[in-house]
Amino acid sequence: MPKRSVELSALQVKARAKKPGLHAVGGVTGLYLQVAPTGAASWVLRVTVGDRRRDIGLGGYPSVTLEGARVAARADRDKIRNGVDPVEERRSARSALIAQRAGALTFDQCAARYIAAHEAGWKNAKHAAQWSSSLAAYASPVIGALQVRDITTGHVVQVLERDNLWTAKTETATRVRGRIESILDWAKVRGYREGENPARWKGHLDKLLPKKSKVVKVKRHAALDYREIGAFMTKLRAAKGVAARALELAILCASRSGEVRGAVWAEFDLDATVWTIPAGRMKADEEHRVPLSARAIEVLRSMLPGEDEPDPAALVFPGMKGRPLSDMSLGAVLKRMKVDVTAHGFRSTFRDWAAEMTTYPREVCEMALAHTIDSKVEAAYRRGDLFEKRRRLMADWAAYCAQASAKRGNVVGLREGAR
């Protein structure tokens, strides 16, 4: 039978703590006070685990008292008798804690990583800045410092209701909610959180917040009545400046302002009368071919730099210092003409004309506007872009735009008949 050490008192241990060496303190077999030459003292349990000798540290003295060391030593001996290695158990617990801390990201950290991962795929460089600024202004003050795994529906609602955001700035609040939802989805896929997304709208937040349409009336882009387009285009053709020509081409092609303002010469084949807009510049991320009417070709030729071939990478409608025109520049043209509409609104003018004055099929008109096909089945089977039909449509539109304005109530359809 092994010899039991004399059970020391707390005072006796205090006295031995001044002498370097290994001092048995008794009370539990194998429990020692280890005193280093520097005077630092700690508790050690010397024990055999399986066929291996272990020196198990139980903490420093005097922060761990004599009684505390004996309790810890007994607990470790009980584990060993039950086949558990206390040292390996602590290593596993430490590893789990380190892994847990490594996976514990705040919402702000996840937002930064999400933006960094996706900004390369965003067409507009301002997109990342808009994400960052909106989240910093509205989400971060409420959930920015929270562990992403701990964010609940209550937190998201608090973001949207703070300072009456959902009712006072509904459009902004809608974007913020969508961005929070995307970030939380990303965090779940990366393993930083579990469970349902508390920022999901359908079947979740729509039960707690009023619909956007109930809070604020949707504002449509102000558009010109199609019966007034002839008189307007007459005035526009007389207007001087690059922005006026850009606006005219946008109207003739029923294009978005950004598609025209960012156009470069490489996209145009004037001989074939085709404008091919690359996918990266289109809202739907798909290449779009635009048939060019005779007047559209005239507008483009008026922008050519003399007799020399234009630089393929050069902007067709350059602004100040060779930069693209701003969207406000087209609006300024309309303001000078004293017309209370928007550049984008002319797409609605075109669509109204096509519906009211022609018998072109709906899909041809929608394709001219580069609208995506709502039906996934139809989109999967339709491979063509109805280009030749659209060529006739855009020629008719240009001809209608060149007509003198007709009086309302006495409108004559253009080339009505079978298409």
Side-chain angles (χ1 to χ4, degrees), residues 330-395:
L330 273 63
V333 173
L334 295 168
K335 188 175 182 179
R336 288 194 295 271
M337 295 175 68
K338 298 181 180 179
V339 181
D340 189 19
V341 297
T342 66
H344 193 85
F346 285 100
R347 284 166 55 83
S348 179
T349 302
F350 164 79
R351 190 64 183 88
D352 289 343
W353 164 81
E356 297 289 342
M357 299 293 291
T358 81
T359 56
Y360 284 101
R362 177 183 181 277
E363 57 268 25
V364 175
C365 302
E366 291 298 297
M367 190 70 76
L369 291 167
H371 283 165
T372 55
I373 301 172
D374 293 334
S375 170
K376 292 183 179 180
V377 175
E378 184 181 357
Y381 281 94
R382 182 185 294 169
R383 303 298 175 87
D385 61 0
L386 308 176
F387 187 77
E388 292 307 319
K389 292 182 178 181
R390 289 193 290 117
R391 183 180 288 284
R392 295 195 294 274
L393 170 64
M394 302 316 291

Side-chain angles (χ1 to χ4, degrees), residues 34-57:
Q34 182 174 269
V35 183
T38 59
S42 60
W43 299 105
V44 175
L45 175 64
R46 286 195 159 183
V47 66
T48 300
V49 180
D51 59 354
R52 188 176 179 184
R53 182 69 175 267
R54 292 280 201 190
D55 280 1
I56 303 175

